[in-house]
């Protein structure tokens, strides 16, 4: 119990979880940490910049060198900048890289660094420009280490590092290596790619196919799956909204659910590429990735623990595919209510590849959180305007199919509503506060597509997509991959090449890994 003053009056607050013995909690009696653990990559940055040159600590009061922070001995007074209430005490230490032949060592290290940074052989004029900069700084008495770091900084702010250098026409092997590494690793080419580019072998179709598989099979491909799902599926917007403290305080503070939901989608997409699964799995699959918290959210039994793992879904489950994953349903809601318009637009654009844009000056529809009318009833009135109806006939039905899922992807049969004087549901949310919502009108997830085909729920809507729209779904996936891989939109003249990619992957049911190979081998990827 504690007291606060609000507008001059004292108010009491009692945690609703408190009992006769206090408030539930957790206590740790001890914790053990083992380390430091030997990591062969821990000094990779130092070796890239200074090779095998030794590092020595300068005596107190000595000039030159650079300053780093190290843990201070127990008796030392912590440096103000490094002091933290719970962090280790730190102290500033001056160090210097030892070089017996500074000009020669600097040239050797700079040539290697610039070639790595520029991702291709570097013109001698560029190298000389950086060598002159080092020599100027060194002559001013700034020391070997500081002068070299200053020069490295200029390399990393130069166009050769900041921009992808691609001449118009067919890419050379170095540009192809860079484009492939940026596509599948979100990184620079590694030593093997650079070696193949130097030998002029990367354009060989068999070599390029083997390298594509190698990059996809490497752990660094995790960067691709994270970046691509952020861009394609809008997962980067997962924190744009928070569950309403009024209607959804049972989701408030539920970070384990949110994190598991995002990881489900990323692991699911990765599985499609790893196993070259058909594109139909984007719409309906018999598996997903769950941990105990997410499985409970979905009503799937038999999953325990925090670790995410592949789970076969029950045959009658509404889950499976992307549309019913909690992450997707969260980024297409606003934290308080759901809108068939927003979710319908997301399906049209992100799954089917049709661009939508509302007419200028048309106000958005705000769902009624009092529960007096449903969003469907509001949209029925909205579509009475023929200008609005022409678009809403296309975008509303897919959104209606997802109305059985709340703002966090939980299944619902009725909407949640809030009204003064109505007895709320019984329960305590994760915030420790009692529920304040009551159940409103029932959900109606039925719809009719523009061509007259109808569905009564999400299962039937998925089946309509599987039966009639799979080439459309596959085409959109291929297009999204091409745009991500090349950084360029697909123009009218590019559509024929997208058709060729789809034709080559049709036998595998538009296998998603086959799509990557088709894109990498195509002129869309190998030409600028």
């Amino acid at each position: 119990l504690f007291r606060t003053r609000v507008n001059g009056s004292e108010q009491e607050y009692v945690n609703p979880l408190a009992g006769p013995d206090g408030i539930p909690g957790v206590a740790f009696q001890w914790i053990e940490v083992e380390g430091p653990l030997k990591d062969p990559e821990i000094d990779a940055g130092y070796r890239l910049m200074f090779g095998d040159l030794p590092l020595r600590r300068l005596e107190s009061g000595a000039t030159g060198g650079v300053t780093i922070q190290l843990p201070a001995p127990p008796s030392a007074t912590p440096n103000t900048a490094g002091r933290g209430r719970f962090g280790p005490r730190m102290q500033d230490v001056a160090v210097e890289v030892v070089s017996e032949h500074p000009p020669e060592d600097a040239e050797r290290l700079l040539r290697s660094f610039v070639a790595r940074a520029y991702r291709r052989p570097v013109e001698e004029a560029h190298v000389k420009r950086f060598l002159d900069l080092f020599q100027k700084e060194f002559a001013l008495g700034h020391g070997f280490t500081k002068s070299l770091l200053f020069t490295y900084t200029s390399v990393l702010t130069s166009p050769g590092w900041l921009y992808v250098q691609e001449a118009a026409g067919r890419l050379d092997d170095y540009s192809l290596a860079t484009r492939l590494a940026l596509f599948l690793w979100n990184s620079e080419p590694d030593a093997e790619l650079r070696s193949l580019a130097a030998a002029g072998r990367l354009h060989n179709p068999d070599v390029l196919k083997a390298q594509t598989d190698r990059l996809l099979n490497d752990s660094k491909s995790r960067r691709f799956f994270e970046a691509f799902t952020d861009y394609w599926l809008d997962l980067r917007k997962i924190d744009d909204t928070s569950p309403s403290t009024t209607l959804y305080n049972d989701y408030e503070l539920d970070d384990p659910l949110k994190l598991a939901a995002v990881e489900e989608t990323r692991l699911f997409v990765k599985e499609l590429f790893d196993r070259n699964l058909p594109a139909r799995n984007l719409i309906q699959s018999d598996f997903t990735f769950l941990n105990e918290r997410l499985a409970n959210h979905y009503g799937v039994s038999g999953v325990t623990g925090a670790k995410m793992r592949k789970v076969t879904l029950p045959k009658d489950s509404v889950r499976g595919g992307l549309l019913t994953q909690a992450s997707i349903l969260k980024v297409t809601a606003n934290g308080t209510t759901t809108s068939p318009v927003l979710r319908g637009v997301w399906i049209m654009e992100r799954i089917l590849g049709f661009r939508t844009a509302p007419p200028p000056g048309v106000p958005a529809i705000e769902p009624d959180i009092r529960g007096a009318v449903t969003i469907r009833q509001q949209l029925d009135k909205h579509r009475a305007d023929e200008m609005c109806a022409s678009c809403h006939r296309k975008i509303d039905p897919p959104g209606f199919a997802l109305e059985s899922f709340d703002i966090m992807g939980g299944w619902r049969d009725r909407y949640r509503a809030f009204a003064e004087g109505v007895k709320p549901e019984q329960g305590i949310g994760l915030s420790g506060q009692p529920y304040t919502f009551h159940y409103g009108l029932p959900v109606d997830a039925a719809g009719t597509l523009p061509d007259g085909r109808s569905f009564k729920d999400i299962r039937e809507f998925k089946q309509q997509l599987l039966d009639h729209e799979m080439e459309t779904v596959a085409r959109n996936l291929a297009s999204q991959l091409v745009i991500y891989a090349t950084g360029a939109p697909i123009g009218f003249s590019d559509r024929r090449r997208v058709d060729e990619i789809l034709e080559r992957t049709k036998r595998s049911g538009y296998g998603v890994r086959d799509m990557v190979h088709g894109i990498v081998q195509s002129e869309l990827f190998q030409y600028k």
Side-chain angles (χ1 to χ4, degrees):
L1 180 148
F2 63 88
R3 291 180 171 85
T4 59
R5 298 191 68 83
V6 180
N7 296 330
S9 62
E10 191 173 81
Q11 298 182 2
E12 283 189 355
Y13 169 81
V14 178
N15 191 311
L17 298 179
D21 298 323
I23 300 173
V26 59
F28 296 94
Q29 292 182 324
W30 73 84
I31 184 170
E32 295 182 1
V33 179
E34 179 182 348
L37 302 178
K38 182 61 176 176
D39 183 354
E41 295 299 317
I42 198 168
D43 60 347
Y46 182 89
R47 286 186 279 108
L48 174 64
M49 293 186 292
F50 302 110
D52 56 358
L53 296 179
L55 183 72
R56 67 180 174 89
R57 182 170 178 169
L58 298 180
E59 297 297 329
S60 178
T63 59
V66 296
T67 300
I68 63 174
Q69 282 199 335
L70 295 175
S75 58
T77 301
N79 179 278
T80 302
R83 182 187 301 165
R85 182 178 178 185
F86 302 106
R89 295 183 174 186
M90 307 294 288
Q91 63 177 352
D92 290 338
V93 175
V95 295
E96 175 74 11
V97 175
V98 180
S99 171
E100 299 294 335
H101 309 284
E104 292 82 0
D105 285 336
E107 181 171 355
R108 171 176 57 85
L109 293 170
L110 266 171
R111 285 186 179 277
S112 174
F113 186 88
V114 174
R116 179 80 176 268
Y118 277 35
R119 304 173 291 275
R120 62 173 54 248
V122 185
E123 295 179 16
E124 188 62 26
H126 291 178
V127 177
K128 187 177 185 303
R129 183 181 300 123
F130 294 123
L131 284 173
D132 290 345
L133 184 59
F134 167 81
Q135 291 164 2
K136 179 181 178 182
E137 291 296 308
F138 190 70
L140 291 174
H142 293 160
F144 178 79
T145 309
K146 188 173 293 186
S147 299
L148 199 52
L149 288 175
F150 181 85
T151 310
Y152 286 154
T153 301
S154 69
V155 174
L156 298 178
T157 56
S158 68
W161 160 255
L162 292 175
Y163 299 102
V164 176
Q165 306 291 320
E166 294 178 346
R170 188 172 188 258
L171 301 180
D172 61 33
D173 281 66
Y174 291 103
S175 295
L176 184 58
T178 296
R179 183 173 280 198
L180 186 64
L182 289 174
F183 177 25
L184 299 178
W185 277 0
N186 206 16
S187 182
E188 64 176 7
D190 65 352
E192 185 169 337
L193 279 175
R194 294 197 303 271
S195 176
L196 289 168
R201 296 178 55 206
L202 200 53
H203 273 92
N204 182 296
D206 293 335
V207 172
L208 191 55
K209 183 178 187 300
Q211 289 301 306
T212 302
D213 279 329
R214 181 178 70 88
L215 267 61
L216 278 173
N217 293 336
D218 192 279
S219 60
K220 289 193 283 289
S221 65
R222 168 79 185 191
R223 304 168 188 170
F224 160 64
F225 294 113
E226 290 182 357
F228 182 58
T229 52
D230 278 354
Y231 148 74
W232 171 36
L233 303 176
D234 288 333
L235 292 193
R236 66 190 184 280
K237 299 179 180 179
I238 195 69
D239 287 318
D240 282 8
T241 62
S242 298
S244 165
T245 58
T246 301
L247 293 177
Y248 289 101
N249 65 342
D250 47 337
Y251 290 145
E252 187 184 8
L253 306 178
D254 199 348
D255 282 346
L257 175 59
K258 178 191 70 176
L259 295 174
V262 172
E263 189 68 2
E264 175 196 16
T265 302
R266 287 181 172 152
L267 289 174
F268 178 82
V269 172
K270 183 178 185 300
E271 181 77 356
L272 301 186
F273 283 87
D274 286 348
R275 295 179 53 203
N276 192 32
L277 294 178
R280 64 181 292 110
N281 284 274
L282 297 173
I283 305 301
Q284 179 58 41
S285 65
D286 61 359
F287 72 93
T288 191
F289 288 80
L290 306 173
N291 64 4
E292 183 173 356
R293 176 66 191 92
L294 190 56
N296 290 338
H297 184 60
Y298 288 172
V300 177
S301 60
V303 181
T304 59
K307 183 179 179 180
M308 299 291 291
R309 81 293 308 261
K310 186 177 178 180
V311 175
T312 300
L313 293 168
K315 289 185 178 181
D316 61 343
S317 177
V318 297
R319 307 295 171 171
L322 289 174
L323 301 184
T324 54
Q325 291 182 3
S327 64
I328 303 302
L329 295 160
K330 183 180 189 303
V331 299
T332 55
N334 66 11
T336 300
T337 57
T338 63
S339 168
V341 177
L342 297 180
R343 284 178 169 174
V345 167
W346 188 92
I347 292 174
M348 294 291 290
E349 294 186 349
R350 301 299 175 180
I351 301 301
L352 299 176
F354 297 117
R355 300 299 298 174
T356 59
V362 177
I365 295 178
E366 295 296 332
D368 176 19
I369 63 173
R370 300 166 303 166
V373 293
T374 65
I375 183 66
R376 178 185 290 270
Q377 292 168 334
Q378 290 177 284
L379 283 171
D380 286 342
K381 295 180 180 180
H382 186 67
R383 286 198 300 269
D385 186 329
E386 185 57 33
M387 183 177 69
C388 297
S390 61
C391 287
H392 282 274
R393 276 195 293 265
K394 302 175 184 177
I395 62 178
D396 290 354
F400 287 144
L402 298 182
E403 277 296 274
S404 294
F405 302 94
D406 65 23
I407 58 105
M408 198 64 210
W411 181 265
R412 65 185 177 189
D413 296 306
R414 297 166 66 188
Y415 292 100
R416 291 188 181 188
F418 175 76
E420 296 291 342
V422 178
K423 184 179 179 181
E425 291 296 308
Q426 297 296 312
I428 301 294
L430 288 178
S431 62
Q433 302 303 308
Y435 294 155
T436 54
F437 72 86
H438 70 275
Y439 284 110
L441 297 173
V443 170
D444 182 0
T448 302
L449 298 172
D451 61 4
R453 288 179 288 124
S454 62
F455 58 87
K456 67 179 181 181
D457 56 22
I458 182 60
R459 291 184 179 89
E460 290 192 359
F461 175 69
K462 285 183 180 181
Q463 195 59 51
Q464 293 284 5
L465 294 180
L466 292 172
D467 292 342
H468 304 281
E469 302 293 347
M470 279 318 303
E471 184 175 341
T472 303
V473 171
R475 181 182 303 278
N476 174 66
L477 176 60
S479 300
Q480 298 285 358
L481 285 167
V482 168
I483 294 169
Y484 178 85
T486 64
I490 296 176
F492 179 80
S493 61
D494 299 325
R495 296 178 186 176
R496 176 175 59 83
R497 293 183 173 87
V498 174
D499 290 339
E500 292 171 354
I501 294 170
L502 291 176
E503 188 61 32
R504 286 198 296 268
T505 60
K506 193 171 184 177
R507 292 185 61 184
S508 62
Y510 307 112
V512 294
R513 194 181 186 101
D514 286 345
M515 280 191 190
V516 173
H517 283 298
I519 290 168
V520 171
Q521 299 282 347
S522 73
E523 292 184 4
L524 287 171
F525 191 81
Q526 297 189 24
Y527 282 73
K528 180 178 180 181

